[in-house]
Amino acid sequence: MSEAISGKLVIFSAPSGAGKTTIVRALSEKFPQLEFSISATSRAPRHTEQDGRDYYFLTPEEFERACAEDRFVEWEEVYAGTRYGTLKSELERIWRKGHVILFDVDVKGGVNLKSIFGDRAMSIFVMPPSIEELRRRLVGRATDAPEVIEKRVAKAEYELTFADRFDHVVVNDDLQTAIAEVERLVAGFIGA
Ligand code: ADP
Ligand code: 5GP
């Protein structure tokens, strides 16, 4: 990664189903200078997802090669057998435009990115009101098979233990309240 190209980062992590995607979408509409980092993943696209928009979809072999070539800032095996990571080329692509990078990564990725980028990064943990509500939201979202939902719920308790390693924790109970809180934090950080 070229040291000449740099900028700020805003990092969001949460257990799957907490409402992170919903909140971050609202945020990116409010602040046009925020641009999503598109991650690479070794999982297959869901039916509405597009390569280069939602993720860079790589085969497990392509993902492995990118690791071996040191092309990732960070990567994690978020679910058994499925890897997700941020390519160095993605940071350069966004910073070159003068934009602030918006990250939607798993809890370990969030902690890692914060420790790599320090004060240039602000990390926010989106907290569900309860595990039961998290399950209800995943079922209601209807994007994952029941066994995938169970895997995600089972992981959530572990993920919640990471919350205090983030700069800020925002509880997503009432959605509009959570969005307003996040907007306030981001405006302060990027000086908008
Ligand atoms: P994540 O990105 O954290 O996995 P999503 O943003 O996809 O979560 O939200 C999961 C589901 O919960 C979606 O169907 C979304 O519409 C819903 N949701 C998000 N926030 C709330 C909220 N505050 N109250 C009720 N439902 C919510
Ligand atoms: P999904 O399969 O629902 O799209 O995403 C699964 C998880 O992978 C989410 O928790 C998401 O935050 C995480 N994730 C997506 N991209 C990255 C990444 O680049 N790095 C890491 N560490 N996690 C990621």
Side-chain angles (χ1 to χ4, degrees):
M1 197 174 3
S2 159
E3 280 306 309
I5 304 163
S6 71
K8 288 185 177 179
L9 314 85
V10 178
I11 303 159
F12 283 88
S13 299
S16 182
K20 179 185 54 181
T21 308
T22 309
I23 291 172
V24 170
R25 274 204 195 121
L27 191 68
S28 61
E29 278 168 25
K30 171 113 179 178
F31 299 102
Q33 62 273 58
L34 295 181
E35 183 167 349
F36 265 113
S37 166
I38 301 168
S39 296
T41 180
S42 65
R43 78 156 164 75
R46 297 181 184 132
H47 66 285
T48 57
E49 289 177 331
Q50 283 175 24
D51 185 49
R53 187 192 69 182
D54 300 286
Y55 282 106
Y56 300 114
F57 291 100
L58 306 182
T59 63
E61 294 73 27
E62 287 169 336
F63 202 106
E64 180 54 41
R65 196 175 323 128
C67 289
E69 291 171 354
D70 195 27
R71 289 169 51 208
F72 284 106
V73 187
E74 63 81 37
W75 65 266
E76 293 289 337
E77 185 167 330
V78 178
Y79 302 107
T82 307
R83 292 196 267 178
Y84 298 80
T86 305
L87 291 161
K88 293 176 181 174
S89 56
E90 185 62 7
L91 304 191
E92 291 178 3
R93 181 182 76 77
I94 297 173
W95 278 337
R96 201 173 288 128
K97 296 190 222 170
H99 287 173
V100 174
I101 307 180
L102 197 53
F103 282 94
D104 168 348
V105 292
D106 88 308
V107 293
K108 285 191 193 163
V111 169
N112 277 342
L113 286 167
K114 174 67 190 179
S115 74
I116 293 167
F117 293 103
D119 288 347
R120 276 159 55 198
M122 178 174 70
S123 63
I124 299 177
F125 187 97
V126 179
M127 176 80 88
S130 68
I131 296 282
E132 279 320 301
E133 174 61 15
L134 189 76
R135 185 196 306 274
R136 265 194 295 279
R137 288 181 188 176
L138 287 172
V139 170
R141 189 172 70 181
T143 51
D144 299 295
E147 64 273 18
V148 174
I149 291 181
E150 282 319 308
K151 242 165 68 175
R152 291 181 178 216
V153 171
K155 196 167 185 195
E157 296 208 31
Y158 164 73
E159 292 171 322
L160 292 179
T161 66
F162 282 75
D164 62 2
R165 295 164 69 182
F166 283 71
D167 294 326
H168 305 281
V169 176
V170 173
V171 179
N172 179 23
D173 189 353
D174 174 68
L175 181 60
Q176 294 314 318
T177 306
I179 290 173
E181 170 71 358
V182 163
E183 285 178 354
R184 189 184 62 77
L185 292 170
V186 169
F189 178 67
I190 68 177

